[in-house]
Amino acid sequence: MPFVDEILKYKSVSIVGMEKNTGKTECLNYVLKRLENSSHKLAITSIGLDGEGMDQVSLTHKPEIHLKEGDVFVTSEAYYRTKKLDAKILNLSKQRTSMGRLVTARVTAAGKVLIAGPSDTFWLKKLLESLSQFGVQTTLVDGALSRQSLGSPAITESMVLATGAALSANMQTLISKTAFLHELINLPLWDSEKSDELLQITSGLWAIDKQGEVHDLGIESAFLLEDNKDKLFEFGTTFYVSGAVTAGLLNFLRMQADIENTVIIARDFSHIFADSDSYHAFTKRGGQIKVLLQTKLISVCVNPVSPQGYVLDSKVLREKLMERIGIPVYDLFKL
Amino acid sequence: MNLGKAIHQQNGLRYIIELLQLQSSVGRQRMLQQLFMSDPVVLEKEFELLSEMVERFKNSHFLGAIKVIIQRLQDLHDIQGTLNNLSGKAVLDDIELFEIKRFALLADEIRKQLKVLDYNGIVISDLTKVIKILDPEQNHIPHFFIYDAYSEPLSALRKKRKAIKDQQSEEALQIHQQCIEIEDEIRKALSTKLWAFYTEISEAWQAVAELDFMLARARLAVDLELVKPQISIDSSNFTRLFHPQVKSLLEQQNQQFQPWDISLHKAPCIITGANMAGKTMLLKTIALNQYLFQFGFFVAAASAEIVPVEKIMTGIGDEQSELSGLSSFAAEMLNIQAIIAQARAGKKLLVLIDEPARTTNPHEGIAIANALIDLLEKLEVRSLITTHYSGLKTNCRKLRVKGLHFPTNTEPITVANINQYMDYSLVTHKSDEVPREALQIAKILGIDKALTDGAKLYADLNEKKL
């Protein structure tokens, strides 16, 4: 399986679903199954999950992940107590999630477990660094894309995207939405010494002047732009948006005089909530968006079946999508 | 009273506590519970233990061991919940057993490092037996599961299960069930063995907290150049007393803090001096250092002999008061009443009052201040009182801050350089008169000339009337 070999080249890989039931967990289990006989040292955790055993929206069952002997996993103590495998506890976190502390453990007899990892990006970063002490070579992160989530999968080196009929039962819409996300994932990195400084900032709209100095514009979020138009251009046209990059912000900036020189810096692709139309209108006028955290998209997995029972033609979907985004697309249910 | 409460009442103390480098949450909890100590014997012992630790800190030979201890303290997790379950004789689960094993290994290592330090002030109970229970493979690594080594039948069943191809088969599931039963038995047996060691584990837990707090205080003493106080019976004597926060602020501005020499007897002492001469700062510094002393910290001076008291009572203007909402005069008088009540009840006090009765007319103000000093004298209250009032009719000890000395050159004194021309040292003051430098200071502050000149006219007029 080509993309599984690809995964092993990275220290961390997030597996991200564009929507619930797009087959993210199947994708994760598929990778794990393919590596059953590999000696590669794997760890599994998650980020930004609400950690419900049942999917609250569609009431479908949230599946457990099957791990083999020797795998390392990180999950909450609540889930650790419900595990259906044998494991040796290696570590326990000081910090707590809403589901308790995090247990790091090594599987001693294969079986299933529910995974709920760190609740924020910084914690995940620390965790990923710490796992190497247990001999881990690659960590798979069950990721989520959510406006509410403080955790972003962009902290991992690479990513596998799960998409499918659950996102849209209309193939054209599904392809457009997926291709747009692919475009956002490939946004250029804002390469500057100031990157780390900006990552520490978690709220508000900021400007970076010609000398590279960072200024607080005193605007809490892009949603509050209308009342603060006067303050916006005091330090030039390079902005750091610590929270969501909204359609409103892009539409507003597009109308301004200096749009050709306008650069928006976002934390990462998951913080861009503008729709495709607003985004493209913005870039067409010369505006640019860059990110502080960048991840490499290895491949896309599609699930042609929606939870309501729609089924798309897998072969056509794969081919059209591959043509559009230029990276491998797989249907795991067909492999 | 404990330190956690005192921090909220004393701003200077809060600054010191924020500088304390505690490594663990249990150390922090221990610090907040530190009691206000009045018993000379208890204090003597506390300072002896701290002094020994400070010596270790100053000796480069011990740096390695101290560094390891600090790292291990940082690794400590809060196991209070698990300890509660242990004392309640509950069967512990794998996570709790892991916690105890991890703690026992950390505590064991800290215990070994304390031996390197040759420090006997804190004893960490020997948990090797606990480690032995939870580490049957004896590899001393902090991980845990129900090891094969606990039970031969379990080990055999696990091997048998692994050999089965289909893990979902009836046979595999049945063996798994048997494994679970044996594992539960083992957890119960381990828990029962550990119940017997509850006291040792719990004592070790408290001892590491104690150690964290002790190390933090020793480090603070070295960093801020604090000194071990001697315990005195009748008079407190400070040489080169200073306020760490203000000293550090001045040093940042390349200025020097001028320390005080002062002694306090079992009677009131009056401090006079110009405005800006640091009278209030002196009171705050004494209050802070008395608190540090009674909470078992070294103090900010070159040397100090201090009389322990049962209560420190202040009227300096920055204390948190339940009396807020009252007029300033009413609040002040009620505060003084509280002091008098404690003194009458025979409590051993240290009283520090900044300008008593300053919030009313000077005629009655002097009368109130005079009567207060008489009363404190009669009740033998160790107290320090600042005042601007002339003509206090009392025989008690009076000190004066030397104050401004004017430069021989023509450089004008300004707010920026006043520190250079202010002599903060204390001298014995014989007369009833207090220095009159308010107008001069007001000029230095750049107050409107119409105001200062006008005030001068009125002052001269009053002088003539007298």
Side-chain angles (χ1 to χ4, degrees):
Chain A
M1 217 18 242
F3 90 88
V4 172
D5 296 338
E6 187 75 11
I7 279 173
L8 301 185
K9 292 181 190 161
Y10 299 93
K11 278 196 200 129
S12 56
V13 183
S14 54
I15 298 186
V16 174
M18 283 188 70
E19 187 58 67
K20 288 179 193 291
N21 297 306
T22 47
K24 179 185 61 177
T25 311
E26 285 78 0
C27 183
L28 196 54
N29 272 329
Y30 171 80
V31 174
L32 292 170
K33 191 148 180 58
R34 286 283 143 176
L35 292 171
E36 225 156 37
N37 298 315
S38 154
S39 60
H40 197 81
K41 295 274 179 287
L42 274 186
I44 289 86
T45 189
S46 77
I47 185 161
L49 288 189
D50 50 7
E52 300 290 332
M54 290 289 263
D55 186 320
Q56 290 290 310
V57 181
S58 60
L59 291 178
T60 50
H61 182 61
K62 184 172 153 189
E64 291 161 314
I65 288 166
H66 186 272
L67 298 178
K68 68 173 189 296
E69 187 178 340
D71 285 343
V72 171
F73 63 96
V74 182
T75 193
S76 70
E77 44 183 326
Y79 280 173
Y80 188 82
R81 294 194 164 101
T82 65
K83 69 187 166 31
K84 290 168 192 141
L85 48 71
D86 293 348
K88 178 190 280 182
I89 300 176
L90 304 176
N91 205 358
L92 193 62
S93 72
K94 271 191 193 175
Q95 212 176 334
R96 282 172 178 277
T97 69
S98 58
M99 302 183 63
R101 293 164 298 182
L102 297 183
V103 180
T104 302
R106 190 189 304 282
V107 179
T108 55
K112 288 179 177 177
V113 64
L114 278 165
I115 297 286
S119 45
D120 66 73
T121 314
F122 185 71
W123 189 358
L124 176 64
K125 189 172 181 232
K126 288 270 157 229
L127 179 70
L128 291 173
E129 285 163 8
S130 78
L131 286 174
S132 61
Q133 66 175 302
F134 304 117
V136 170
Q137 291 168 292
T138 299
T139 304
L140 300 177
V141 180
D142 185 346
L145 287 182
S146 155
R147 188 184 280 248
Q148 284 80 30
S149 169
L150 287 169
S152 166
I155 199 78
T156 55
E157 284 181 358
S158 67
M159 193 167 96
V160 172
L161 192 64
T163 187
L167 180 64
S168 171
N170 177 311
M171 192 182 289
Q172 209 45 57
T173 314
L174 171 58
I175 289 172
S176 301
K177 281 191 171 175
T178 308
F180 177 51
L181 187 64
H182 173 243
E183 201 174 338
L184 296 182
I185 292 167
N186 283 329
L187 281 173
L189 196 65
W190 188 66
D191 209 0
S192 158
E193 293 162 359
K194 295 274 174 183
S195 279
D196 279 343
E197 186 182 325
L198 293 191
L199 278 173
Q200 304 295 321
I201 301 171
T202 54
S203 75
L205 202 54
W206 300 68
I208 295 104
D209 67 19
K210 289 237 153 43
Q211 284 71 43
E213 291 304 312
V214 181
H215 303 273
D216 186 356
L217 292 174
I219 304 173
E220 270 305 299
S221 92
F223 295 108
L224 299 171
L225 208 57
E226 292 301 315
D227 304 329
N228 294 286
K229 283 179 188 172
D230 52 322
K231 296 185 197 165
L232 198 57
F233 295 105
E234 201 180 326
F235 302 103
T237 54
T238 301
F239 303 106
Y240 171 56
V241 185
S242 62
V245 176
T246 60
L249 175 67
L250 297 187
N251 292 339
F252 172 80
L253 288 172
R254 192 184 75 224
M255 319 286 201
Q256 307 306 312
D258 217 6
I259 175 70
E260 293 90 346
N261 296 314
T262 301
V263 179
I264 289 177
I265 300 157
R267 290 185 86 79
D268 58 65
F269 77 92
S270 73
H271 281 75
I272 297 164
F273 293 110
D275 56 281
S276 165
D277 290 348
S278 307
Y279 170 78
H280 288 117
F282 175 77
T283 51
K284 239 176 220 149
R285 291 291 308 274
Q288 291 178 62
I289 300 184
K290 295 183 176 183
V291 289
L292 295 178
L293 294 174
Q294 200 187 36
T295 180
K296 181 178 160 48
L297 186 62
I298 302 174
S299 68
V300 174
C301 296
V302 291
N303 177 5
V305 185
S306 86
Q308 290 82 19
Y310 297 116
V311 183
L312 299 174
D313 184 323
S314 168
K315 190 163 180 282
V316 179
L317 176 61
R318 269 187 294 134
E319 280 168 1
K320 281 195 171 170
L321 193 55
M322 208 161 0
E323 191 187 317
R324 184 78 179 268
I325 64 177
I327 60 167
V329 178
Y330 304 97
D331 178 355
L332 300 178
F333 300 89
K334 289 279 158 75
L335 287 167
Chain B
M1 180 161 66
N2 65 28
L3 188 48
K5 278 196 189 127
I7 296 170
H8 295 292
Q9 291 167 5
Q10 238 278 336
N11 283 330
L13 206 50
R14 185 194 309 245
Y15 167 81
I16 298 285
I17 297 308
E18 280 167 6
L19 292 179
L20 264 188
Q21 300 193 35
L22 290 157
Q23 312 298 336
S24 65
S25 64
V26 63
R28 177 153 281 275
Q29 284 163 25
R30 169 63 189 82
M31 176 275 289
L32 293 172
Q33 285 158 11
Q34 175 78 340
L35 290 174
F36 186 93
M37 295 172 279
S38 303
D39 184 341
V41 180
V42 175
L43 282 165
E44 186 80 57
K45 192 173 167 227
E46 189 81 13
F47 291 126
E48 201 45 56
L49 295 181
L50 180 52
S51 166
E52 281 179 28
M53 189 58 91
V54 169
E55 276 165 33
R56 304 297 188 280
F57 244 96
K58 284 180 177 165
N59 188 339
S60 62
H61 177 66
F62 294 123
L63 278 182
I66 288 177
K67 212 174 149 191
V68 174
I69 292 177
I70 286 174
Q71 279 168 356
R72 295 300 165 262
L73 287 171
Q74 281 171 353
D75 288 342
L76 277 184
H77 285 198
D78 191 342
I79 61 161
Q80 192 57 55
T82 304
L83 286 178
N84 293 345
N85 287 342
L86 197 64
S87 84
K89 299 205 184 321
V91 173
L92 304 182
D93 67 15
D94 288 9
I95 295 177
E96 291 168 321
L97 292 168
F98 169 79
E99 275 193 324
I100 289 184
K101 179 172 174 180
R102 217 183 95 105
F103 170 67
L105 285 167
L106 283 174
D108 195 48
E109 197 166 344
I110 293 172
R111 193 172 62 95
K112 282 177 188 150
Q113 295 300 330
L114 273 181
K115 273 193 190 141
V116 175
L117 285 188
D118 192 22
Y119 185 77
N120 304 311
I122 291 167
V123 179
I124 295 175
S125 22
D126 185 348
L127 297 182
T128 43
K129 283 179 185 157
V130 172
I131 295 171
K132 216 171 169 188
I133 294 171
L134 295 171
D135 195 17
E137 293 175 355
Q138 292 186 28
N139 52 23
H140 271 74
I141 298 170
H143 55 46
F144 183 79
F145 78 126
I146 302 296
Y147 296 92
D148 285 3
Y150 281 129
S151 152
E152 271 176 34
L154 177 67
S155 168
L157 280 171
R158 280 176 175 170
K159 278 188 193 117
K160 202 170 159 192
R161 180 176 166 226
K162 259 178 206 168
I164 298 170
K165 272 235 166 100
D166 179 9
Q167 287 296 314
Q168 297 305 313
S169 72
E170 192 63 31
E171 194 193 358
L173 293 174
Q174 213 174 9
I175 294 175
H176 190 213
Q177 208 54 47
Q178 287 172 328
C179 286
I180 289 173
E181 276 165 29
I182 299 176
E183 284 168 12
D184 285 347
E185 282 304 314
I186 293 171
R187 282 188 196 98
K188 202 172 157 191
L190 291 175
S191 302
T192 313
K193 277 187 196 164
L194 289 172
W195 294 342
F197 288 99
Y198 169 71
T199 313
E200 281 87 344
I201 301 172
S202 176
E203 277 171 3
W205 174 240
Q206 277 153 25
V208 294
E210 194 68 39
L211 179 62
D212 194 0
F213 185 39
M214 187 66 81
L215 275 171
R217 277 181 290 167
R219 196 177 198 173
L220 188 80
V222 175
D223 289 351
L224 297 183
E225 297 174 48
L226 308 180
V227 68
K228 178 184 172 187
Q230 303 298 326
I231 288 148
S232 172
I233 296 164
D234 34 70
S235 75
S236 292
N237 302 300
F238 296 95
T239 56
R240 299 188 70 79
L241 178 71
F242 66 93
H243 193 291
Q245 187 174 10
V246 179
K247 182 172 177 242
S248 141
L249 269 172
L250 286 173
E251 278 168 0
Q252 278 169 29
Q253 298 162 8
N254 283 322
Q255 296 192 50
Q256 272 202 338
F257 187 93
Q258 294 180 28
W260 298 281
D261 293 347
I262 189 168
S263 56
L264 297 170
H265 309 290
K266 210 172 168 183
C269 171
I270 295 174
I271 306 261
T272 62
N275 296 86
M276 293 190 81
K279 299 188 298 298
T280 309
M281 186 46 65
L282 173 63
L283 293 191
K284 287 183 178 174
T285 306
I286 290 176
L288 171 64
N289 280 286
Q290 186 80 25
Y291 272 113
L292 287 175
F293 167 71
Q294 307 230 226
F295 280 119
F297 288 77
F298 279 11
V299 296
S303 74
E305 299 160 14
I306 308 175
V307 180
V309 297
E310 290 169 281
K311 204 163 179 169
I312 301 165
M313 301 194 79
T314 60
I316 308 182
D318 67 344
E319 46 279 296
Q320 286 237 335
S321 172
E322 313 91 61
L323 306 170
S324 55
L326 293 173
S327 83
S328 45
F329 180 69
E332 195 198 338
M333 290 314 292
L334 288 171
N335 187 36
I336 285 173
Q337 172 53 31
I339 293 170
I340 295 168
Q342 292 284 339
R344 281 198 190 280
K347 276 264 164 85
K348 212 171 166 186
L349 302 179
L350 173 66
V351 169
L352 305 159
I353 306 176
D354 197 18
E355 297 179 44
R358 68 184 174 281
T359 48
T360 185
N361 67 75
H363 179 70
E364 286 177 291
I366 290 188
I368 292 170
N370 233 327
L372 172 66
I373 291 161
D374 287 349
L375 187 56
L376 292 174
E377 179 122 48
K378 193 182 139 210
L379 295 171
E380 297 188 326
V381 178
R382 197 176 306 276
S383 48
L384 198 59
I385 290 151
T386 68
T387 187
H388 282 294
Y389 287 140
S390 282
L392 280 177
K393 299 291 173 220
T394 162
N395 297 321
C396 74
R397 203 156 55 101
K398 296 182 191 113
L399 298 172
R400 176 171 57 84
V401 183
K402 271 192 185 161
L404 277 180
H405 58 92
F406 290 90
T408 43
N409 58 16
T410 50
E411 187 193 20
I413 302 181
T414 62
V415 179
N417 69 9
I418 190 166
N419 198 23
Q420 293 172 37
Y421 299 109
M422 190 65 87
D423 185 341
Y424 295 95
S425 56
L426 298 162
V427 287
T428 307
H429 189 62
K430 295 280 183 234
S431 101
D432 291 346
E433 292 300 301
V434 302
R436 291 187 182 165
E437 288 171 305
L439 286 178
Q440 231 158 2
I441 302 281
K443 274 186 195 162
I444 290 168
L445 289 168
I447 304 302
D448 196 303
K449 208 165 160 3
L451 176 59
T452 48
D453 287 354
K456 176 100 176 59
L457 280 177
Y458 277 111
D460 291 349
L461 208 65
N462 282 342
E463 203 79 16
K464 270 181 205 158
K465 268 192 201 162
L466 289 171

